[in-house]
């Protein structure tokens, strides 16, 4: 039902409708010089938006609509990890789109905001950001909350990603270790990975009871399920159950961290408010640190490769490295680090010839 009234020198239309709960609501707009202008505007609303509730939805900001869309379509239907990705997109929307309303988002405005986001993010990140917003806006289009798709034919750009290496060399590893802050949870995790070669889930599974500071040893006998948060789990293989040596500095750093945070003997050392950081978060922290140190980009798992490669280059036997990494057999180590072994073999051949030449 639509009614019109004159307020001072301008006209106002009022549309009565039922909201989603069945309660009567009113949509009012004023400021029209002539009644005919008010009638035309009200008619346009009723034509473009079959249900006036959809017009009210278009009055929401993109951030408000996207947040509601997450609650409707993603909560309870995607994993916690995926849900965090949508929540992260929502945070970016709030910054980049501000209070811009759905009905005011044009194709050119949307492209401008995507270009702005691309100034500080890699193309792959921009593509994911766009994909998630587009999914929400296509639902809005289906419901006639909006009448056109502002994301159609959007051009995706982004910052170039530095090429990744599989591992750091000895000097690069030294630089990284010397600039890490062991009082910071993420950076201590990175430090431990670099000096032990432990897998990420193994590090998260560490408890104070596993760390023997006086003997500079650590027991690796369980992992932590950081994906589905089910708690402690078994190690990857039987061979992954192992005891490895620590350097004295690392043992003390761990002990200091445990004491500073008053961690109970059988609680995970690296949980934050009872929750372990997911691999994407720790990889982001590592990438940021490598960028600060002007070092090549590697993944968190690359720290394990770095540890093994450095030991091999320093003359530690393949068998010892294999046991330290928790490989099921030496063949796994040999195949993984074949390029290193071949390089060391060539160095050994040169040594053999030098010895023979002295005979």
């Amino acid at each position: 039902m639509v009614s019109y009234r004159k307020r001072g020198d301008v006209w106002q239309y009022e549309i009565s409708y039922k909201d989603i709960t069945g309660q009567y609501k009113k949509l009012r707009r004023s400021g029209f010089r002539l009644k005919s202008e008010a009638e035309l505007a009200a008619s346009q609303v009723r034509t473009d938006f079959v249900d006036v509730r959809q017009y009210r939805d278009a009055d929401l900001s993109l951030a408000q609509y996207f947040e509601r869309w997450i609650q409707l379509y993603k909560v309870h239907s995607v994993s916690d990890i995926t849900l965090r990705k949508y929540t992260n997109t929502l945070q970016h929307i709030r910054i980049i789109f501000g209070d811009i309303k759905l009905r005011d988002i044009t194709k050119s405005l949307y492209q401008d905001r995507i270009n702005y986001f691309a100034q500080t993010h890699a193309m792959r990140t921009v593509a994911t950001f766009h994909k998630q917003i587009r999914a929400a806006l296509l639902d809005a289009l289906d419901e006639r909350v909006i009448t056109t798709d502002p994301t159609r034919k959007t051009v995706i750009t982004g910052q170039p990603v530095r090429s990744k290496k599989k591992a750091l060399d000895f000097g690069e590893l030294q630089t990284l270790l010397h600039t890490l802050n062991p009082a910071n949870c993420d950076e201590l995790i990175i430090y431990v990975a670099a000096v032990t070669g432990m897998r990420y889930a193994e590090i998260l599974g560490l408890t104070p009871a596993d760390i023997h500071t006086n003997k500079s040893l650590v027991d690796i006998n369980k992992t932590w399920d950081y994906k589905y948060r089910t708690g402690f789990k078994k190690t990857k293989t039987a061979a992954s159950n192992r005891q490895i040596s620590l350097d004295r500095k690392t043992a003390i750093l761990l002990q200091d961290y445990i004491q500073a945070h008053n961690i109970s003997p059988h609680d995970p050392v690296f949980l934050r408010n009872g929750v372990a950081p997911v691999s994407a978060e720790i990889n982001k922290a590592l990438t940021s640190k490598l960028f600060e140190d002007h070092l090549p980009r590697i993944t968190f798992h690359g720290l394990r490769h770095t540890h093994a490669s450095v030991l091999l280059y320093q003359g530690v036997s393949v068998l010892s490295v294999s046991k330290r990494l928790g490989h099921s057999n030496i063949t796994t180590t040999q195949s993984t680090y074949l390029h290193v072994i071949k390089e060391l073999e060539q160095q050994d051949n040169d040594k053999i010839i030098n010895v023979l030449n002295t005979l």
Side-chain angles (χ1 to χ4, degrees):
M1 176 180 172
V2 186
S3 62
Y4 305 92
R5 60 182 295 191
K6 194 170 186 180
R7 299 175 62 89
D9 295 331
V10 296
W11 282 87
Q12 169 188 287
Y13 70 74
E14 179 180 282
I15 303 176
S16 299
Y17 68 98
K18 285 185 179 180
D19 67 12
I20 196 169
T21 66
Q23 298 295 314
Y24 276 101
K25 296 290 180 68
K26 296 182 184 295
L27 172 65
R28 299 186 183 92
R29 291 288 182 273
S30 63
F32 303 100
R33 186 172 56 87
L34 302 174
K35 181 179 180 181
S36 59
E37 291 176 350
E39 291 173 336
L40 180 62
S43 175
Q44 187 67 41
V45 169
R46 293 170 63 85
T47 300
D48 288 348
F49 302 89
V50 176
D51 188 332
V52 177
R53 287 173 299 185
Q54 295 168 335
Y55 184 87
R56 296 301 294 267
D57 286 343
D59 258 355
L60 296 174
S61 69
L62 175 59
Q64 290 172 323
Y65 182 84
F66 192 81
E67 183 174 18
R68 192 178 71 173
W69 180 79
I70 291 175
Q71 293 297 320
L72 284 172
Y73 297 105
K74 300 305 173 184
V75 174
H76 308 307
S77 67
V78 299
S79 69
D80 287 347
I81 295 174
T82 301
L83 184 60
R84 277 198 289 273
K85 293 178 181 178
Y86 282 103
T87 303
N88 186 53
T89 293
L90 173 60
Q91 299 305 320
H92 285 304
I93 289 173
R94 287 172 174 155
I95 296 171
I96 294 171
F97 286 88
D99 295 326
I100 298 174
K101 298 184 184 301
L102 283 181
R103 57 183 170 83
D104 294 329
I105 299 178
T106 62
K107 190 172 185 297
S108 58
L109 186 149
Y110 182 79
Q111 182 70 65
D112 176 74
R113 297 294 80 201
I114 289 294
N115 290 347
Y116 179 80
F117 185 71
Q119 290 176 13
T120 54
H121 293 82
M123 181 179 290
R124 182 176 177 181
T125 304
V126 177
T128 300
F129 181 62
H130 161 70
K131 179 182 177 181
Q132 293 183 351
I133 297 176
R134 178 173 168 78
L137 290 183
L138 287 179
D139 282 340
L141 184 65
D142 286 345
E143 296 173 343
R144 299 196 68 183
V145 172
I146 55 177
T147 57
T148 59
D149 174 17
T151 68
R152 182 173 176 268
K153 293 185 177 181
T154 299
V155 177
I156 303 300
T157 59
Q159 297 304 301
V161 178
R162 291 183 297 156
S163 59
K164 289 187 291 187
K165 290 176 62 177
K166 188 172 183 178
L168 301 177
D169 61 31
F170 184 76
E172 291 165 343
L173 176 59
Q174 284 184 313
T175 299
L176 175 63
L177 293 179
H178 291 164
T179 58
L180 288 170
N181 175 15
N184 176 281
C185 179
D186 288 351
E187 295 193 23
L188 183 56
I189 290 174
I190 293 169
Y191 190 98
V192 171
V195 299
T196 65
M198 292 170 65
R199 301 177 179 94
Y200 185 49
E202 293 173 344
I203 295 175
L204 294 182
L206 284 178
T207 66
D210 299 322
I211 302 166
H212 310 293
T213 307
N214 293 336
K215 297 179 181 179
S216 292
L217 295 172
V218 60
D219 293 324
I220 303 169
N221 47 43
K222 57 191 173 302
T223 63
W224 183 265
D225 180 9
Y226 60 89
K227 291 184 179 179
Y228 303 107
R229 302 181 183 179
T230 59
F232 289 115
K233 293 176 61 177
K234 294 181 179 179
T235 55
K236 186 176 181 180
T237 64
S240 297
N241 281 300
R242 61 201 189 277
Q243 186 178 74
I244 64 173
S245 58
L246 295 175
D247 62 279
R248 186 64 181 165
K249 178 181 177 181
T250 300
I252 293 174
L253 288 176
L254 285 169
Q255 187 63 35
D256 289 346
Y257 184 86
I258 290 167
Q259 291 177 350
H261 293 81
N262 195 28
I263 302 170
S264 299
H266 299 289
D267 287 340
V269 173
F270 295 110
L271 262 60
R272 299 181 299 200
N273 298 319
V275 178
V278 297
S279 56
E281 292 172 334
I282 202 69
N283 264 302
K284 184 176 180 180
L286 174 60
T287 299
S288 176
K289 193 63 185 175
L290 292 170
F291 183 81
E292 288 177 14
D293 294 341
H294 305 287
L295 294 174
R297 182 172 175 239
I298 63 168
T299 64
F300 184 84
H301 194 71
L303 294 171
R304 181 170 164 86
H305 292 311
T306 297
H307 183 74
S309 299
V310 166
L311 293 182
L312 289 171
Y313 277 123
Q314 294 299 315
V316 179
S317 71
V318 177
L319 178 60
S320 295
V321 172
S322 181
K323 289 182 177 180
R324 187 170 177 85
L325 295 180
H327 285 163
S328 299
N329 55 66
I330 195 172
T331 304
T332 302
T333 313
Q334 289 172 326
S335 60
T336 303
Y337 302 101
L338 181 61
H339 64 291
V340 178
I341 294 171
K342 283 186 174 180
E343 187 174 337
L344 293 172
E345 182 181 8
Q346 182 58 51
Q347 293 177 10
D348 286 343
N349 286 335
D350 293 340
K351 292 178 182 177
I352 291 170
I353 295 302
N354 289 333
V355 171
L356 292 176
N357 285 335
T358 62
L359 296 177

